[in-house]
Amino acid sequence: MASGSGGEDVWIPSVCGMCPDQCGILVHRVDGVVTKIEGNPRSPLGRGRLCARGLAGIQLLYDPHRLNQPLRRGNPEKGIGVDPRWQPISWDEALEAIVERLKQVRAEDPHRLLLCGTPASPAPLAFALGVFMPAFDSPNGFVCDERPNAGVEHMLARSLHGSISMYPDPDFCEYLLLFGADCTSGATAEKMADARVRGMRGVAVEPFLSPAAEKADEWLPIRPGSEGALACALLNLLLNEYRLFDAEYVRRHTDGPYLVRPDGAHARDTASGKPLVWDAAAGHARPFDEDGGDVAIEGTYVVDGEECRSVFELLREAVRRWTPEAAAEATTIHAQTIRGVAREFGEAARIGSTVTIEGRELPLRPAAAVCGPGAYGHDNGRPTALAIALLNEVVGAGDVPGGLLGSGAVSLGRPQTGLPRWVPCADSDGLLQSEPTPENRTDDWPAFDGRFAFDPRPKVLIDCGSNLLMGAAGPERVATLKECFVISVSLYSDETAEALADIVLPDASYLERLDPPQQSSPAGRGDWACQVRQPAVPPLRQRRHFSEVLLEIGQRLGIADAVNARTNIFYGLRLPHTLDPEQRCSWEEMVDRICQGGFGPEHGLAWFRENGVLTWPKRLEEVYWKPFDAARVPLRYEWLAGWQPCRAGRPQIGFDLQAVSYPVPWHASQTCENPWLDEVSQSEPYSYFICLNPRTAAAKGIADGDPIWVESTAGRRVRGRARLTEGVHPEVVAIGGNGGHWARGMPVARGQGAFFNALLTFDLEQPGPTPLAIDGDARVRVYKE
Amino acid sequence: MRQGMVIDLKRCIGCFACQIACKAEHGTRPGTVWARVIKREYGTFPEVRRVSLPLLCMHCRKAPCVEVCPTGATHKRADGIVTIDADKCVGCRYCVMVCPFGSRHYQDADHTYFRGREPDPYEARAYAQHPTGVVEKCDFCVERVDRGLDPACVVNCPTRARTFGDLHDRESEVSRLIDERGAFRLHEELETCPSVFYLPP
Amino acid sequence: MPSADALRRHLTDLNLTYRPQREWVEGRGLLVVAAHFFSGVGAGAWLFSVALDFDAGLVISAAIVAGLAAPAHLAFLGRRQRFWRAALRPRNSWISRGVWGLAIFLAGAIPYALPAVRDSAFGPVALGVSLAGMTVVLAYKGFVYVASRAIPFWHQPLLPVLYIAYGLRGGAAALLVAGAVAGDVFDIGLLEVIKLWVVVSSAVLVLLYLALARRAGGAGRRSASELVAGKVSPAFYAGTILCGLVIPIVLGALGAATGASRGLLAAVGLSSLVGDFYIKYCIVKAAVYLPIVEDLPAPRRYGTRRAAAGL
């Protein structure tokens, strides 16, 4: 819309905050009113284009149901469906009440403070978890990721790629094998479209024909939770039957050649303690890091009188039981299909081929297997994700052109400064260190000692917009939190606030706040970006940015000096930008220091306000680090032995179906309250419905559109309307994520879609095969209302 | 010159960004979606495919809406863009009824997105451009086009699935895409001659 | 679009394979059906009033058109204060032609209905004008619907014939009712015979129409099945068939055999009028659009012959 004449008409560069991708945006403000949000063409994230969510941010800004002032719970009773009887209070009153509680907790046991946040707001979350919580001396901060077992993805990305996440190479991939993953949308959407046009073949393995699977050339419907069996069978075929694997890669870039003793420990050199490999030319074992010889990756060898086998040999052994027939039994995918996929994948990897990029010749392995939330979101998620990740490793497609890349594994810094810098490091065994050591961190980070120190009875819980009652916690946890003082920092009076909160603080949306710069980049070649989020309008009414609020809380608590110290550490500030303990800075001044600390005085906050994004080109070694770094990835064959079907995958009398959820591309957390996005879901046939296969539905007398109940074995049930579609496995019920809100404070979202997470069991007493892994699907039965 | 659009169904991911980009550019009312996406499923389990099909006004060369409009409010420009003059429209909805693509929209009530509430500052500005009681539709962002810009849905599409340009210009991107990849239009049998072409998925 | 639920339903409709036509039948859309009903009845009644020399009928017909049909048309418009603009495109739009037809009819009928004008030298002119307008009014509605090529249920040459036939029978029915009230001012027996004949013909037409609709492909079949077995079937069977055809035929045959009382004829007329309304309602309500796309069409190059082919 064009503006009137004579008034204000500006475009403000900022960063979208609707999902973790954080694309660059330009916000059009005319006479003080935000009239449009567009992508920022100068930002590598989005390149001037935004998804439905990013464009819909305006509705979030002006939603009349937004919280506009602090509230106190008037009703002493807590629980789902209870009316909180909110009493509006002043910020002063709210902060006094909060600080009083925090003082008590700090005096008794600071570990009793729990804080959780949402990945859609990584910058404020980082400040809360990385600065405030350590300053308070509580380690109990966590990210409430609504995808079960998201930690598995990060864990594998760390140990196999040295990064937080993994993504197929959009520039060179030619064969994409997706296990419950979406590689069509997000910051690389355009490049993945290019890939499809140039002929990249996609195979999507998932129980529901999701929006992501739509773009695949072949949809392989699978029994949920059995993806690991399929991956192991593919490994078995590649390693044992077809012998399609990259021996050289295994030899040089993995711990495949490392010899393992019968007791499972590495065979080590007596002098140096280093793991041993077998030199076939020399006829004896030697430390892994010596050059020359002919290192074997297969076979059994005698070392110090013991029969040792290589890790690679043990991996081959571990998958041998997964014949295509066994996998067909577990997955309901035909054995012939499994054979076909293995051969396709192995051949598509073009083992031994190279490509010349920017004048340098690198290995080319244009096949990638991706493990997404649909596959790792089960209680067998860790071995499943490993098996899938190993598909890349065995064909040599890890962090090389065409294969699976660790996003942001390497940063060599801006050309001018060489900072920030982090590179994959090898430990003393030559293996990729799970925790990279960026040069700008100190040893102040607490070391992980293998124990989870978790007090299940927190005294104070701060929910930073995560609405954890609909995500991690699950409604049955309400009882355990009833004695806890809960502070909700949120855009709306959401389910968590209404059921549990004692104090609610009105958060500033991403369009109303200033956040420190974050470095990121879409996967593959391109540019790095550092972007600063700045407010398009000052926070409306009495909303306040929670980072600023934490600063004030820190001051009132008397821990401001610790906050300053943590800020220096977390943001890597060096002189002259460091904060002295007694210094009291505004949030804006802090952000300015962080900008200057990272990018020099010429790129302080003022520069970022004007320009929005600082970019520099990614170097080849930052995109494809394997050929340039000696660190080896651990194959972890021992995790595969424990693979079994997920709990929900096991049949039970009377409960014949498995309920799964899937991500809806135009939604993220809480977006059902956004009326433009709600309208999209109303425009689309599946996301607000419960999807059933027509044959399954017919057997139960269910017609399209019928109101139905989905009930779990634990007796929890969810109501919705049936949608019959051929695009769902007959044993499966598919429910779009993010739906089913019931909060009175979210009237647009209320009643839309179905609340899938109600069906899940968050049962710490009965862990699955992997500790702390939960099953992201449920065994259910379905019947008409 | 004939303005036209090519939508590449291989690139399109059915993300609905075009629906929102159009809504954000024009500030249309609740329920009015000038740009929309339908999903079509083919086959039976397990051989199933689903296609997302973005729709908008086809700006047909032989537009039935132009033929039936009794007031002349619906008008086809020289460059092929079909526009509606809101000052001439009487709201008879003949054109709505006759459009094979469902591209024309009519509202006679002042709905807002937050039911029962006053329009928010954004809506108050936006709905001033959308009087009730008259028909409206996608106009290929004619105000942008006249300033040399592409339509909002084209500029924003995250996968660059949409291209806009002169169909009569052999060298234009739209002509090149149609020629190289082969394209189809909807309802060829109705002989309305749409200006929107689809590349196969 | 009177309600927020209607908005949601509209969004759902847009994704259906067979999108129903709602704009001209639901909510305020009912006014269009009513307007078409009244204008058909009024024009038909005018014809028979003229033919049978029924002066009161002239007034009744003109009143129906001026007082019921025209206001219903106006009330349906979004911007009724500009209604005159709808007359501006008679060259291409059937609605413009219809507006002219209504205007011309009223320009002739209202004066002619006044005895003073009727008996004057101006009378034949008024009559001629009114008949010209009446012809347009009877015929145009069917053509309005036929223009929708994307609704196969309407896009049939038989539709205007159906509308004309129903206009005639509606007019006759109205006069049967009027006649029962007014007494022996015209040969009601003749009218009864005409009526019976028209009713039988329209029964045949309806059946023929449905049969042809089924041949028009999936959307046509879908509409026909909505009528005979789907959501519209109660209205169709109770209104169109029972009230509109069965009762008039049965009563009419009874009357022809045993001698018709005025009360019986009035009952025939009323029942027939109900059916008249319902056939229009059902035809409009059962309409569905051609699916946007069935199987994806095969791509073509639209190559070098593009410009010549007038792409």
Side-chain angles (χ1 to χ4, degrees), chain A residues 77-97:
Chain A
E77 194 190 331
K78 292 188 179 181
I80 293 177
V82 171
D83 179 1
R85 293 192 218 135
W86 296 127
Q87 296 163 352
I89 55 175
S90 69
W91 267 101
D92 220 30
E93 285 177 73
L95 290 179
E96 260 189 52

Side-chain angles (χ1 to χ4, degrees), chain B residues 46-185:
Chain B
E47 308 286 332
V48 189
R49 289 212 66 187
R50 191 185 300 133
V51 178
S52 294
L53 193 68
L55 297 173
L56 64 166
C57 173
M58 301 290 162
H59 297 275
C60 307
R61 194 169 61 80
K62 289 185 268 178
C65 55
V66 174
E67 277 168 33
V68 304
C69 176
T71 68
T74 289
H75 163 73
K76 190 166 180 69
R77 297 183 356 159
D79 64 355
I81 296 182
V82 177
T83 58
I84 304 176
D85 185 342
D87 292 327
K88 291 185 180 169
C89 177
V90 293
C92 74
R93 288 103 92 189
Y94 197 2
C95 57
V96 175
M97 193 262 284
V98 106
C99 174
F101 308 100
S103 302
R104 301 180 71 104
H105 305 269
Y106 174 85
Q107 300 227 22
D108 57 16
D110 246 313
H111 292 294
T112 59
Y113 268 105
F114 300 104
R115 246 175 276 170
R117 302 262 191 166
E118 291 300 305
D120 60 45
Y122 171 82
E123 284 186 299
R125 287 179 73 92
Y127 298 163
Q129 319 283 333
H130 297 277
T132 54
V134 295
V135 174
E136 55 175 42
K137 67 173 189 70
C138 156
D139 59 0
F140 267 175
C141 284
V142 69
E143 282 176 12
R144 291 175 61 99
V145 169
D146 287 344
R147 289 199 321 262
L149 302 171
D150 277 346
C153 57
V154 173
V155 163
N156 184 77
C157 176
T159 57
R160 227 182 357 102
R162 299 168 88 113
T163 317
F164 185 76
D166 184 1
L167 292 170
H168 284 170
D169 175 3
R170 298 269 174 78
E171 312 302 320
S172 67
E173 185 68 11
V174 287
S175 297
R176 190 190 65 76
L177 283 168
I178 295 168
D179 229 49
E180 273 181 27
R181 302 264 305 273
F184 65 85
R185 294 183 296 190

Side-chain angles (χ1 to χ4, degrees), chain A residues 439-776:
Chain A
E439 263 93 315
N440 59 349
R441 300 218 196 282
T442 71
D443 292 327
D444 230 35
W445 281 81
F448 177 61
D449 60 3
R451 293 181 306 126
F452 289 101
F454 178 68
D455 188 327
R457 284 187 318 279
K459 279 269 172 133
V460 177
L461 167 66
I462 303 178
D463 173 16
C464 295
S466 74
N467 198 9
L468 72 163
L469 200 58
M470 288 193 87
E476 72 278 3
R477 289 287 163 220
V478 170
T480 64
L481 288 170
K482 277 183 178 172
E483 302 308 315
C484 181
F485 188 82
V486 176
I487 302 152
S488 266
V489 183
S490 181
L491 300 177
Y492 307 103
S493 170
D494 57 29
E495 285 73 17
T496 306
E498 289 185 359
L500 293 170
D502 294 281
I503 301 264
V504 171
L505 298 179
D507 202 6
S509 69
Y510 73 94
L511 291 166
E512 297 162 291
R513 63 176 200 244
L514 177 70
D515 283 324
Q518 289 206 287
Q519 176 179 343
S520 60
S521 169
R525 301 172 63 207
D527 290 337
W528 286 108
C530 242
Q531 306 179 123
V532 162
R533 175 179 292 117
Q534 61 174 318
V537 292
L540 301 180
R541 317 285 192 85
Q542 294 186 53
R543 304 167 188 170
R544 279 183 76 183
H545 183 14
F546 191 57
S547 297
E548 282 188 70
V549 174
L550 281 178
L551 269 187
E552 185 171 339
I553 290 179
Q555 285 171 24
R556 290 185 183 220
L557 275 175
I559 59 171
D561 48 348
V563 169
N564 284 0
R566 283 289 158 189
T567 302
N568 294 336
I569 294 170
F570 187 74
Y571 291 105
L573 296 178
R574 302 239 177 274
L575 292 169
H577 308 293
T578 47
L579 290 163
D580 293 326
E582 332 73 47
Q583 240 171 322
R584 297 292 170 258
C585 262
S586 69
W587 177 248
E588 209 169 288
E589 284 167 348
M590 262 187 166
V591 174
D592 189 24
R593 280 170 189 261
I594 295 167
C595 291
Q596 293 193 39
F599 308 102
E602 69 278 11
H603 293 115
L605 179 56
W607 187 93
F608 275 100
R609 278 197 196 276
E610 178 71 32
N611 296 280
V613 56
L614 179 63
T615 65
W616 64 97
K618 274 205 273 194
R619 291 158 48 181
L620 216 50
E621 304 93 311
E622 291 170 307
V623 183
Y624 311 112
W625 67 260
K626 251 324 152 30
F628 303 100
D629 196 295
R632 297 166 179 262
V633 303
L635 296 178
R636 301 233 191 272
Y637 66 91
E638 66 273 15
W639 290 2
L640 296 182
W643 192 92
Q644 45 180 303
C646 67
R647 193 192 323 198
R650 295 170 218 152
Q652 268 194 271
I653 310 281
F655 293 85
D656 54 333
L657 300 174
Q658 255 176 293
V660 302
S661 75
Y662 60 94
V664 177
W666 52 90
H667 277 304
S669 324
Q670 329 309 331
T671 52
C672 289
E673 176 62 20
N674 186 314
W676 280 0
L677 300 176
D678 169 61
E679 188 172 62
V680 172
S681 278
Q682 290 185 46
S683 309
E684 185 260 2
Y686 308 105
S687 53
Y688 275 171
F689 286 77
I690 297 178
C691 291
L692 281 171
N693 186 287
R695 271 177 296 295
T696 308
K700 297 177 190 299
I702 295 172
D704 189 78
D706 279 351
I708 57 174
W709 287 103
V710 179
E711 184 180 322
S712 74
T713 53
R716 308 282 308 290
R717 54 182 199 164
V718 158
R719 200 181 160 282
R721 283 175 296 154
R723 169 98 316 141
L724 305 191
T725 162
E726 297 285 348
V728 66
H729 195 286
E731 295 173 12
V732 169
V733 168
I735 299 177
N738 307 114
H741 284 273
W742 65 84
R744 280 181 219 86
M746 298 176 70
V748 175
R750 193 162 193 231
Q752 301 286 63
F755 180 42
F756 174 79
N757 284 4
L759 300 168
L760 302 181
T761 317
F762 293 81
D763 200 344
L764 296 176
E765 281 79 49
Q766 288 182 50
T770 314
L772 291 188
I774 56 167
D775 206 348

Side-chain angles (χ1 to χ4, degrees), chain A residues 299-328:
Chain A
T300 307
Y301 306 98
V302 176
V303 178
D304 291 336
E306 287 184 314
E307 269 202 357
C308 299
R309 293 192 284 176
S310 67
V311 165
F312 184 69
E313 185 71 41
L314 288 164
L315 172 63
R316 289 179 53 206
E317 197 57 44
V319 296
R320 211 179 279 276
R321 68 182 172 110
W322 286 107
T323 60
E325 289 68 30

